Amino acid sequence: MMERRSIFTAIVLLSIIAPVTPAQAASKITIVNFDAVNEGFNDPAPRPPVGGNAGTTLGDQRLIAFQAAADKWGATIDSPVEIFIGAAFDPLTCTATSATLGQARTEAIFANFDDQKVGLAPGPVGLNLWHHSALADERAGADLDPLDVDLVAQFNSRLNGDPTCLGGTGWYLGLDGKAGSDIDLFTVLLHEFAHGLGFSQFASVNSGIRLLGLDDVYNVHIFDNTTHKFWSQMTDAERKASALNTRNVIFSGSTVNAAVPTVLAVGTPLLALLSPGTIAGNYQVGAAAFGPQLAAPGVSGAIVVATDPADAAGPSATDGCSAIVNAAAIAGRIALIDRGTCGFIVKVKNAQNAGAIAVLIGDNVAGTPPAGLGGADPTITIPSVRISLADANAIKAQLAAASVVTGTLGVNLAVRAGADATGGALLYTPNPVAPGSTISHWDTIAFPNQLMEPNINADLTHSVQPPQDMTLPALYDIGWFADKDLDGLADDRDACPTSNRAATVVVGGINTGVVNTMFTNGCTINDTVARIFAGAKNHGGFVSGVAHLLDSLVAQGTITDAEKDRIQSAAAHTK
Ligand SMILES: [Zn+2]
């Protein structure tokens, strides 16, 4: 019996579905405008065309950007079933420093649905597995819930130059990725649509409890390197613990595993503490978006706490917000500075001016993994990273005990950035848990930056597949498949991946009216006749080859004798 579960019941969809004309008629993913008159996608405020977006009102430009991102996914994944995204722009939370950008998710999930046997649809990925709505439709070969959309998306309309919202930072509505200091809507849409298409799972990351006790197509690929178990093999308590097991949890799927060496760069950033022996070992870092990339063999030296005046620029003597006063001790060494008050660029520049060879920013809140350091300043010439509060305190405790602490800030060349030692792609498992982010993203250490990291990085390229990105490989691992002719049979198992799927058999321009049956190898009668034509030495050979085919089709009961005669006659008239 099919299970259907609505994920977010608070949104009433059925009464307000009003499909709009898609920007491209061929699109298989259609944006359904949920906005009311004069707001959101219908906002009439005039706007000049921008970055390939030809809309002339704010609403039109929003809709064009949505449809363009939907078309990008539509051109990348193949489903014979149209995908509907119900979407709205609404005023969501936004302050001077933080905002809800927007989100998309599957509207419903399905398990144990029928293989509808439309075309060659393969049916569910497995028994008792939740599937995202659009994925379930592709696998079923039919729309399992034609009265409802597949994804719902809600984005923040306040990111529109309002100075009280992120200081006036707004959505960049162009399609060319040239967002400058604004936020590239196209990139955020690619990310959020990917969640809705399948890059998300349904067990609670707070409790480990699965929805109605069932696994889903995503979480069966989550593998914990500590317990050596997949999430589908765990108890609720084990899943809960795994969600916090920072940089020890991977997505294991054959397509993602194969993509890791082509996508992720060799060398994962790390801090190796060399002495004293009590704290020697490898420590997690968050990489900086500015300054030189970490490299091998890295920068080695003694670690020294940088001190500066406790003044208006920064209230502590270890926040690095003012000029460093212990420059003699810092010069030629690795500076340790606390996070807080001023920006990372300010701290690192002050340490650089004091002669430091590298900077460790110790976090000021507990948790792992240490996030990256944002910012941009081409004058920064020394490497810097963030380390966790606990690790920073461990180093300070040694320094307070008059120990010399030495370390190397560099990369481990045996491990790719964003992978574990076995080459598995690391999932984001921060401690404390971050519902909405935990496990349904790649770890933030991935380099080059990935579309499905929890934060949107400015250097993303709009690519969703190798060699730049691992989103599409993950979707393939959960059950999506390439299917150019939309016959339900994956291209790599389809003897005719670009079938002629006309309704009837057409030979030499003559429509025979005979049903163009598709066979289980993915080829139609038209495909087979075309192959005979391509391989025939002359007209006689072609007619003879067709006769052999038709005899076997009659013998199988696929066509009647009368139909055979019509096709044979058409073949005889070809030249
Ligand atoms: Zn996300």
Side-chain angles (χ1 to χ4, degrees), residues 191-192 195 441:
H191 175 110
E192 293 298 330
H195 282 315
H441 293 95

Side-chain angles (χ1 to χ4, degrees), residues 199-281:
F199 205 103
S200 54
Q201 64 86 45
F202 305 110
S204 165
V205 293
N206 287 311
S207 66
I209 295 172
R210 296 167 302 170
L211 196 58
L212 298 187
L214 299 188
D215 290 309
D216 58 66
V217 291
Y218 183 99
N219 76 14
V220 294
H221 294 286
I222 304 173
F223 184 80
D224 189 300
N225 285 332
T226 304
T227 59
H228 302 291
K229 287 181 181 179
F230 286 94
W231 271 32
S232 50
Q233 300 169 319
M234 293 182 181
T235 64
D236 294 346
E238 286 172 328
R239 268 188 294 275
K240 177 180 176 179
S242 183
L244 301 171
N245 194 6
T246 304
R247 291 188 179 158
N248 280 312
V249 180
I250 63 172
F251 184 101
S252 180
S254 58
T255 321
V256 167
N257 294 345
V260 165
T262 63
V263 175
L264 297 179
V266 167
T268 199
L270 86 168
L271 171 66
L273 292 182
L274 308 173
S275 68
T278 47
I279 61 168

Side-chain angles (χ1 to χ4, degrees), residues 1-18:
M1 180 183 143
M2 180 174 84
E3 303 257 14
R4 179 194 181 281
R5 179 96 168 170
S6 188
I7 299 297
F8 298 95
T9 53
I11 299 174
V12 179
L13 298 169
L14 296 182
S15 60
I16 52 173
I17 292 178

Side-chain angles (χ1 to χ4, degrees), residues 399-411:
L399 294 173
S403 298
V404 173
V405 179
T406 61
T408 298
L409 186 58
V411 297

